[in-house]
Amino acid sequence: MPERYTKIEKISLEGTAFISHPEFPKKVKNLKIRFKYSFLDHVSTNDWIGIHIRTQGPQRNNSELIYSRVNGELESLSWPAYKPPIEGEPATNEESSDGDIFEISVIENKLDVRTNSKSLNDENVFADGFGDIMIGTQAHTPDPGMEEHRLTVECTGFEIINLDTTAPI
């Protein structure tokens, strides 16, 4: 039976990178993810940190990418692109002095996401069961004067709660 709760104290990412941490659960359908993040450095206000959840199965054809940019924008993309990207709406959420909060909930086909300043809801995610959970960063073309900088993000208190340990394998 898959683990119901995973906690990782700290994950550090630099540049453009995606990792599937060995402690991340596999074969999850309904889940919640919560962590705090800080952009320690960046090259562009379009740089982002995100969570990529990919469907299980041999072809891995469907996935959701949810990301928060340095400029505070929150977005969600689906692959294949069967609908336009969804942008977060301004919201008054919990403030944190030690980093921004990133919370993701996927229950059946409903996605709810929040950061300190944005919320995003999607009632139509393709969630037949996720096989991989990845965390990643994307550095963009440097803004003027930022050429010597490097995207650096630190995540703390990373938690994944598996709400349904009976997802089909």
Side-chain angles (χ1 to χ4, degrees):
M1 179 153 69
E3 291 294 322
R4 291 191 59 82
Y5 179 78
T6 302
K7 183 165 185 174
I8 300 165
E9 290 302 323
K10 183 177 174 182
I11 298 173
S12 297
L13 299 162
E14 287 190 15
T16 297
F18 269 92
I19 63 165
S20 180
H21 196 281
E23 294 182 39
F24 287 178
K26 305 288 184 201
K27 299 181 177 96
V28 177
K29 181 172 181 176
N30 300 304
L31 60 91
K32 288 189 178 189
I33 299 172
R34 178 183 165 95
F35 61 96
K36 291 182 181 178
Y37 66 98
S38 296
F39 288 102
L40 303 179
D41 198 1
H42 66 281
V43 298
S44 168
T45 56
N46 287 317
D47 291 353
W48 54 256
I49 180 166
I51 297 292
H52 190 193
I53 43 182
R54 302 186 326 179
T55 58
Q56 59 196 27
Q59 297 176 7
R60 299 178 187 264
N61 288 336
N62 301 296
S63 66
E64 297 291 327
L65 174 63
I66 306 107
Y67 56 93
S68 178
R69 295 185 186 273
V70 168
N71 65 13
E73 294 302 315
L74 177 65
E75 299 174 30
S76 175
L77 298 171
S78 299
W79 283 298
Y82 64 94
K83 61 184 175 187
I86 296 176
E87 296 180 6
E89 299 290 331
T92 305
N93 293 323
E94 178 182 336
E95 292 294 323
S96 173
S97 61
D98 57 345
D100 290 319
I101 294 170
F102 205 139
E103 286 188 347
I104 299 169
S105 172
V106 179
I107 300 176
E108 296 304 323
N109 291 76
K110 184 174 187 219
L111 171 70
D112 290 307
V113 183
R114 77 176 188 95
T115 62
N116 288 39
S117 61
K118 300 277 182 163
S119 294
L120 181 149
N121 303 98
D122 184 354
E123 302 278 337
N124 189 26
V125 297
F126 189 84
D128 282 344
F130 295 110
D132 282 326
I133 300 169
M134 302 175 78
I135 184 169
T137 51
Q138 175 72 50
H140 286 75
T141 303
D143 291 340
M146 299 295 285
E147 294 83 6
E148 300 300 318
H149 292 256
R150 180 165 176 82
L151 174 60
T152 308
V153 182
E154 183 174 277
C155 304
T156 57
F158 197 99
E159 299 174 294
I160 301 174
I161 302 170
N162 180 353
L163 300 174
D164 180 1
T165 58
T166 60
I169 296 175

